[in-house]
Amino acid sequence: MESNVGMSFKQALIIFAFITVIIVLLVFVASSTVSYLDDTEAESDDVTEITNTVFNVEEENKSFLAETLPDSIVKLLDVGMTDSIPSQLLRRKAYVTSYNRETRCPNWVAWRLTGEHTDGPYNRKGVPYYDDDGIAIGIGRVTEETQKGDYFADMECEEPRQSLYDWSTEYNMSHGHMCPAGDNRWDKEAMNQSFLLTNMCPQDYDLNGGGWKKLEDKCRKWAERFGEVYIVAGPIFRGARHKKLGEILIPEAFFKVVLCMKGEPKAVGFIYENDSQSQSMYDNVCSVDEVEAVTGMDFFSALPDSIENEIEAKANLNDWK
């Protein structure tokens, strides 16, 4: 009996020691878990603070885009399209653009050009123009990720968006302004905003500096002669397959339509191939109706039908002399 009792006492000691070790281990694990959770919450707070900081910067930058074209002008410039075409409308001081997240190009860019806007003290060599606080006027705060040379990523644009790093010298493509810098010399903000990527398409280098530039110059002459003109320009994509510059689809051609309401209303259209061949406005002139047939868009739809139908059927450059 004594021997059996002795063995029971020893067993009890062993069991007590084992339970003590288990309790100590449990207390240690619980303490470590609380410490880990505290650290995790702290890290989460840090991430939230960083996220909020980035978000606030983006919201802050949007305040720099507050001054935009008046509603009355935007209504006249509005372009009708089918709902199947992705479109995010972005209003700027001098123009409005419809961005397409699938092509990563604007569907169209539209603006009112007056005689007073055809010249001014601000040119592209001064871009970007900064205010006294070092903020790019009309753009907001810029970083190496949002600015490269004269060009700005459009942070108001929905993703996927054009990237500064999509652009290269491949395919002999240049930054093709739809609303040209030369139409925005009247204002620092307008000039800066003309260099947003949502105003850009990959455009053949020779076209950009050749026939397309001559057409831009002619539009400025028309604005001086008639006082003001309304212009819509954009890319033309043909077929289902397209070359890419980075992730940007390269258009096969470009269109431009011009409306003048001074005196006898008139309108004219142009289509230019996106290549290096020599092209003149006289070879590429067409009616607005023809541009609408190619693009599937409806231009200047705010006009009374009697005026719209008449002027969009004509393509007579003699009316613009």
Side-chain angles (χ1 to χ4, degrees), residues 124 151 167 172-178 180 199-217 254 272-277 279:
R124 62 186 302 153
Y151 301 99
W167 291 88
N172 194 41
M173 293 291 144
S174 62
H175 291 80
H177 289 66
M178 295 296 96
N199 183 42
M200 306 282 172
C201 293
Q203 190 171 56
D204 182 87
Y205 183 85
D206 294 321
L207 174 63
N208 184 267
W212 192 256
K213 180 180 183 300
K214 291 178 181 178
L215 179 58
E216 292 172 343
D217 292 339
F254 292 93
Y272 282 72
E273 297 301 310
N274 193 18
D275 58 35
S276 299
Q277 66 178 311
Q279 301 179 71

Side-chain angles (χ1 to χ4, degrees), residues 134-306:
I135 295 173
I137 300 171
I139 303 293
R141 299 185 185 278
V142 293
T143 67
E144 291 182 356
E145 295 299 316
T146 61
Q147 177 195 352
K148 186 176 181 181
D150 299 341
Y151 301 99
F152 305 100
D154 193 333
M155 303 310 291
E156 192 183 13
C157 174
E158 63 188 15
E159 294 183 340
R161 61 171 71 101
Q162 266 195 44
S163 165
L164 294 162
Y165 303 100
D166 284 322
W167 291 88
S168 68
T169 57
E170 191 176 10
Y171 298 122
N172 194 41
M173 293 291 144
S174 62
H175 291 80
H177 289 66
M178 295 296 96
C179 178
D183 287 5
N184 293 282
R185 294 186 60 185
W186 53 281
D187 185 83
K188 291 179 182 179
E189 181 177 2
M191 177 60 74
N192 274 355
Q193 290 179 350
S194 73
F195 284 84
L196 285 163
L197 293 184
T198 41
N199 183 42
M200 306 282 172
C201 293
Q203 190 171 56
D204 182 87
Y205 183 85
D206 294 321
L207 174 63
N208 184 267
W212 192 256
K213 180 180 183 300
K214 291 178 181 178
L215 179 58
E216 292 172 343
D217 292 339
K218 181 60 72 174
C219 288
R220 284 189 279 273
K221 294 294 183 184
W222 288 338
E224 292 172 354
R225 180 176 303 145
F226 300 111
E228 66 178 12
V229 292
Y230 297 86
I231 307 171
V232 187
I236 295 173
F237 293 96
R238 301 190 183 111
R241 298 178 64 85
H242 313 278
K243 292 180 179 178
K244 284 186 176 183
L245 190 68
E247 294 300 318
I248 310 168
L249 298 192
I250 298 177
E252 282 73 42
F254 292 93
F255 72 84
K256 180 169 285 189
V257 293
V258 188
L259 168 69
C260 178
M261 294 299 294
K262 297 293 185 179
E264 188 73 19
K266 50 185 165 288
V268 67
F270 301 90
I271 293 178
Y272 282 72
E273 297 301 310
N274 193 18
D275 58 35
S276 299
Q277 66 178 311
S278 178
Q279 301 179 71
S280 74
M281 59 184 295
Y282 294 97
D283 294 331
N284 295 313
V285 65
C286 58
S287 69
V288 175
D289 281 345
E290 290 176 281
V291 178
E292 288 180 337
V294 170
T295 62
M297 299 179 186
D298 183 13
F299 304 105
F300 312 126
S301 58
L303 291 173
D305 288 343
S306 58

